[in-house]
């Protein structure tokens, strides 16, 4: 039963239905086995953190911010066990936390670091996710052009990962056909520095 609900979390999360993902996550958290160490626990905590920060920014309550921070803190304890696996995830949750508390500079820096670390460790799907999250944040801050760059980069990552349905949904959700003519993928600060 838990496996079915975890699958619902993961599918809902990747397709952007954060309300449905949160409900499935709450249900999984009620199972006694939900805290047992397993690979799915890592991703459940990671996705739950992103979902909770996103829901907080949508006005769903302070409890979402508190739960997001709890997930971030859990990943922080795991980073010491395997930095290559957890660092980009922690950085993305930190970026989401900063975005949720209106710390613009720290949010942007953490998004960029998460993108870089995911890329450096070969997690193309998590690089795409970090670009997408950064794009959503920039869109909410009315930094439209930079957000579109991020969405294009996320789309490119998802296509490389083979997630064509996810890439298509992103393309359609953000109307990338008409709004992005002449815009290339995002070049994050670290990539610009490497080019110099």
């Amino acid at each position: 039963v838990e496996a079915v609900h975890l699958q619902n979390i993961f599918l809902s999360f990747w397709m952007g239905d954060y309300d449905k993902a949160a409900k499935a996550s709450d249900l999984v958290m009620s199972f006694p086995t939900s805290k047992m160490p397993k690979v799915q626990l890592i991703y459940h905590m990671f996705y739950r953190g992103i979902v909770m920060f996103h829901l907080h920014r949508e006005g769903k309550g302070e409890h979402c911010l508190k739960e997001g921070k709890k997930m971030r803190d859990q990943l922080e304890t795991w980073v010491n066990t395997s930095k290559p696996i957890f660092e980009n995830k922690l950085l993305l949750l930190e970026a989401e936390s900063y975005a949720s508390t209106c710390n613009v500079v720290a949010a942007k820096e953490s998004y960029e670091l998460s993108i870089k670390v995911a890329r450096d460790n070969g997690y193309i799907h998590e690089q795409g996710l970090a670009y997408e999250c950064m794009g959503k944040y920039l869109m909410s801050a009315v930094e439209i052009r930079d957000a579109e760059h991020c969405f294009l980069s996320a789309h490119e990552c998802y296509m490389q990962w083979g997630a064509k349905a996810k890439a298509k949904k992103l393309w359609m959700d953000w109307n990338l056909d008409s709004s992005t003519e002449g815009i290339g993928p995002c070049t994050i600060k670290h990539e610009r520095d490497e080019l110099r």
Side-chain angles (χ1 to χ4, degrees), residues 32 51 53 91 106 143 149 162 170 188 194:
V51 165
F53 286 127
L91 287 165
E143 295 184 30
H149 283 284
L170 181 77
I188 62 171
E194 289 172 5

Side-chain angles (χ1 to χ4, degrees), residues 124-183:
I124 190 76
H125 61 299
E126 291 177 10
Q127 181 183 356
L129 178 59
Y131 272 125
E132 182 180 0
C133 289
M134 185 175 187
K136 288 176 182 177
Y137 173 66
L138 292 172
M139 193 63 82
S140 73
V142 196
E143 295 184 30
I144 308 301
R145 195 91 166 149
D146 289 340
E148 289 170 342
H149 283 284
C150 288
F151 292 137
L152 283 171
S153 295
H155 181 269
E156 189 176 297
C157 290
Y158 293 146
M159 290 300 289
Q160 288 176 21
W161 185 36
K164 292 179 181 166
K166 172 64 180 170
K168 182 179 180 181
K169 181 168 182 3
L170 181 77
W171 193 267
M172 301 304 286
D173 285 352
W174 296 102
N175 195 24
L176 297 178
D177 285 334
S178 62
S179 65
T180 55
E181 286 183 33
I183 298 176

Side-chain angles (χ1 to χ4, degrees), residues 23-37:
K23 287 177 186 168
S25 178
D26 288 342
L27 187 58
V28 168
M29 295 294 278
S30 72
F31 296 138
T33 58
S34 70
K35 304 254 188 301
M36 290 177 59

